[in-house]
Amino acid sequence: MEAIADLAGIGRRTLFRYFPSKPDLVWGGMEPVVERMHRVLDSPGAGESTRDVIARAMTESLDLDPDTLEATRLRLRLMASDPALIAFGVLRLTASRDLIAGFLGRRLGAEASELRVRVLADAISSANFSALLWWATNRDDDDPARASVEALDALLDLHLP
């Protein structure tokens, strides 16, 4: 944390004011991504399918400038290498899950808290996060949204024997 504070040009105490722990530092900065997802899910295009709205929300939320993209890749690689970091962040993932549940509830004419809606929202949110971890450790391209949309489509096409 001392080295990070030095690189940021701030004191260690200031760093801990913003990020009380190392996991907070790794997971910090998700707010703009969630906000972009929120904008899409709250105002779907006329006639746009549920799948297309969710795919667009994933794509627009992951529209990152090159520096942010590389930092995101490094954060995700770090998370993928440490189960404790993933466990720490599960609560942070509820923000996107809740947005998806609200959207699905509106589309399905159901409450966001209903079992079907919650299960679908959890599955989509988990598929998105899993795809991002996979992208960070397995692809060198600059398109994390492609992996997220591929995961969404795999989930929606799921037919078990």
Side-chain angles (χ1 to χ4, degrees), residues 62-134:
L62 294 167
D63 184 18
L64 308 171
D65 64 66
D67 290 338
T68 304
L69 181 72
E70 192 53 32
T72 299
R73 182 190 311 273
L74 294 173
R75 283 182 196 202
L76 288 165
R77 283 181 180 168
L78 184 58
M79 288 176 199
S81 72
D82 187 347
L85 278 174
I86 291 175
F88 175 87
V90 167
L91 286 176
R92 302 245 177 154
L93 295 176
T94 61
S96 64
R97 190 265 333 263
D98 290 348
L99 289 174
I100 294 168
F103 169 74
L104 289 173
R106 291 187 299 277
R107 281 289 170 115
L108 297 172
E111 294 295 320
S113 61
E114 288 184 22
L115 177 63
R116 179 176 180 222
V117 174
R118 282 300 286 269
V119 168
L120 289 170
D122 277 333
I124 292 167
S125 181
S126 295
N128 182 41
F129 183 61
S130 181
L132 291 172
L133 291 174
W134 180 86

Side-chain angles (χ1 to χ4, degrees), residues 3-21:
I4 293 169
D6 287 344
L7 284 171
I10 59 174
R12 188 168 185 253
R13 293 176 95 171
T14 301
L15 180 64
F16 274 108
R17 231 177 299 149
Y18 291 104
F19 304 101
S21 68

